Structures are given as structure tokens and as C-alpha cells.
Amino acid sequence: MPTHITLTTRKQLDIYMNPQRQRLLKVMDIHAAPMTSKQLSDQLGISASAVSYHLKKLAELGIIGLDHTESIHGIQAKYYKRLPVVINLGNDKNDDLKAERALLSDYFMNEIWNGFKENMEQVKDRSNLMETGDTMNGILYLTEEEAKQMKKFIMEFYADHMEPAPNTVPWETAVIAFPHKSS
């Protein structure tokens, strides 16, 4: 199974860009346990058949998969899980999907920023990193090799931490790094 997927086609981006699918993925990430269409439906406030449709589309990309089935009151319930893959939007590509990638990136950054602000409003102890999180920004001076190492480190770190483990909590993250072009 790949540890990362780069979205390179319009079909892939169309599947991934769907707002309901993004909400579905976030619920799966936060719950960090296999869920049925019914459970997801209850969380999202949409029909189980709509959830099943969205799950099928996400499975096409290799982002979710069937974990197991259980017999519940004589009905076979399918439990789906989020697969541990990093999604690369392909922003490094200069193709006819550039505008869609930029729109999706804007959406993600806005969602994460709004989630961070909402979290900060609810925090009781701002000195506790496990309650607040943080933002960081600045300029790093990197050689081309160091930039490659940084990207590799980030990709490996994401891949190593995409599944829940004992004593862990889900952290929503966004990483933006690019070479500054002096004017």
C-alpha cells in the first residue's frame, strides 16, 4: 500500500475536492476507528446511502478501505477505515489543474486556521501545548539538499503518525514551505 498519493488527474481532484468527502474524512480521522455508513451518516447528518456513495469514491483513490464486517441484528454491517496515506495535492505541477489545486489548498488552510482559532477560544490552560497547539513561521536558509531532507522528513513523519496509538490524540496540521524568490 502506498504511503502517499499524489493527485495528478482531474478525476482524482474532483473526487477529493468534494466538501462532503472532506467532512467524512475528517470525522473518520477524528474518531480513529472503523465506522459504518450509518455511524458516519449520524455524524454528518446525511443519508447512509450518500455516505456509501462517497466512501466508494474515496476507496477509488485508495484513501479509505473496508476494515471488517459484522452481523448486527442479521444485517451485515461494513466497517470502513481511513488508510494511512498522505495526500499530496500536486501543487508542484504546472498543468491545467493548477486553479483547482489552489482552491483546494485555500479551503484546507482556511478550515485548519478556523479550527485552530475555535480551539484557542475553548482552551482553559494556554500554557499546555496539548490543549493549544501553535503556529510557527519564519525564514529558514536551506541548501537544495537540506530542502529535500526537510520534505522527506515531513513526509516520513506524517506517514509514521497517521494511525492512532496508545496515549495519542489527533492533531490537525498544515505545513507550508517554499523557496522565497527575492525581488
Side-chain angles (χ1 to χ4, degrees):
M1 171 181 5
T3 57
H4 74 276
I5 297 169
T6 299
L7 304 178
T8 58
T9 68
R10 181 167 303 284
K11 180 180 178 183
Q12 289 173 318
L13 273 172
D14 286 346
I15 290 171
Y16 194 65
M17 284 180 77
N18 182 285
Q20 288 289 29
R21 293 182 196 130
Q22 289 304 313
R23 289 181 61 224
L24 189 150
L25 289 170
K26 190 168 187 173
V27 167
M28 292 179 85
D29 283 342
I30 291 168
H31 284 274
M35 298 177 77
T36 65
S37 294
K38 173 71 171 113
Q39 290 170 324
L40 289 162
S41 167
D42 291 344
Q43 289 287 312
L44 296 168
I46 62 175
S47 72
S49 63
V51 168
S52 293
Y53 172 77
H54 292 304
L55 288 171
K56 179 181 173 189
K57 290 294 189 180
L58 291 168
E60 283 180 37
L61 288 180
I63 298 173
I64 64 104
L66 180 65
D67 184 72
H68 68 282
T69 60
E70 285 181 21
S71 181
I72 301 173
H73 306 296
I75 297 172
Q76 288 297 322
K78 295 179 181 180
Y79 285 79
Y80 296 91
K81 69 177 181 178
R82 176 79 187 257
L83 299 176
V85 293
V86 175
I87 306 300
N88 180 340
L89 299 182
N91 283 315
D92 58 332
K93 312 251 182 283
N94 190 16
D95 57 16
D96 65 329
L97 301 173
K98 195 162 102 174
E100 287 88 342
R101 288 186 179 101
L103 181 66
L104 189 54
S105 295
D106 286 346
Y107 169 80
F108 285 141
M109 289 298 135
N110 191 50
E111 286 292 304
I112 291 168
W113 178 243
N114 286 334
F116 175 75
K117 290 188 301 187
E118 190 176 298
N119 182 65
M120 290 303 289
E121 289 173 7
Q122 297 171 3
V123 166
K124 294 172 184 73
D125 180 3
R126 288 190 180 229
S127 68
N128 181 353
L129 179 64
M130 289 304 290
E131 278 197 44
T132 62
D134 204 352
T135 61
M136 294 167 256
N137 69 301
I139 299 291
L140 301 175
Y141 294 89
L142 305 174
T143 65
E144 185 174 344
E145 184 57 35
E146 289 169 330
K148 287 177 184 176
Q149 288 174 350
M150 180 179 69
K151 183 171 182 178
K152 182 180 181 216
F153 172 79
I154 291 167
M155 294 296 286
E156 289 175 353
F157 193 85
Y158 267 81
D160 290 346
H161 295 86
M162 293 194 70
E163 295 187 84
N167 302 315
T168 63
V169 295
W171 278 66
E172 193 159 0
T173 63
V175 177
I176 300 173
F178 60 95
H180 189 273
K181 304 294 183 205
S182 299
S183 45

